[in-house]
Amino acid sequence: MSEFIDILTHGRRLKAAVKELSVQELEEVQEKLAKVIADRREEEAELKKLEAEKQRKIDELKKAMAEAGIDASELLEGEAKPAAKTKRKRAPKPPKYAIVDANGERITWTGQGRMPNALKNALNKGDSLETYLINK
């Protein structure tokens, strides 16, 4: 789409791109482009109208607050701020199994997720998983 916009906004490139079109086809393109422009103007006018209405309401509220002697900070005072949607991190599960690997390092496993290689190798050799339970 960027290349299309480059062609459309550059005089010589546009002229080169439409050189094979007849005058009638160019006039049809012009009519369609004029319709697009008119629609865009209407959209922008509507947005300006909505913004003006919003600003008018804001001004009314400010005036009413000033007449009542209310400051904007007083409105927010004591209000609970909306809680940020954060996931609570759960406490990690305690290890259920432990094994000492060939390097003498104690490796623990909760019983969930991937099984440590040291424990997997011990089970492949014929050991029982229950022998590595921490709390028997």
Side-chain angles (χ1 to χ4, degrees):
M1 193 58 142
S2 177
E3 184 179 349
F4 172 73
I5 292 172
D6 289 342
I7 292 171
L8 195 60
T9 57
H10 192 272
R12 285 185 291 180
R13 291 183 75 186
L14 179 61
K15 187 175 182 179
V18 297
K19 69 181 176 185
E20 295 178 11
L21 295 178
S22 68
V23 172
Q24 182 182 359
E25 291 171 324
L26 285 171
E27 288 172 346
E28 288 174 6
V29 170
Q30 181 182 17
E31 289 173 12
K32 291 176 183 175
L33 190 56
K35 171 76 169 111
V36 169
I37 293 169
D39 291 345
R40 178 69 59 91
R41 284 188 178 140
E42 287 177 17
E43 289 173 6
E44 287 180 5
E46 183 65 28
L47 284 175
K48 284 182 182 179
K49 182 180 172 185
L50 291 174
E51 279 297 316
E53 179 65 22
K54 182 179 177 180
Q55 188 59 47
R56 187 188 62 77
K57 288 180 181 181
I58 290 171
D59 293 340
E60 284 179 11
L61 288 171
K62 284 181 180 179
K63 182 180 176 186
M65 286 174 49
E67 290 173 357
I70 299 172
D71 188 43
S73 62
E74 291 175 326
L75 289 176
L76 301 175
E77 200 173 278
E79 289 282 321
K81 291 183 181 178
K85 292 186 178 184
T86 57
K87 286 188 175 181
R88 265 196 204 169
K89 239 184 171 181
R90 64 174 177 80
K93 287 193 148 209
K96 190 172 180 181
Y97 304 96
I99 187 170
V100 178
D101 69 356
N103 298 332
E105 185 179 341
R106 183 175 188 256
I107 298 175
T108 59
W109 182 48
T110 62
Q112 293 182 340
R114 283 181 49 184
M115 183 182 290
N117 288 334
L119 191 56
K120 195 184 299 183
N121 293 338
L123 294 179
N124 288 340
K125 289 180 184 175
D127 290 350
S128 172
L129 186 60
E130 285 76 32
T131 58
Y132 298 102
L133 272 171
I134 293 176
N135 296 326
K136 292 182 182 180

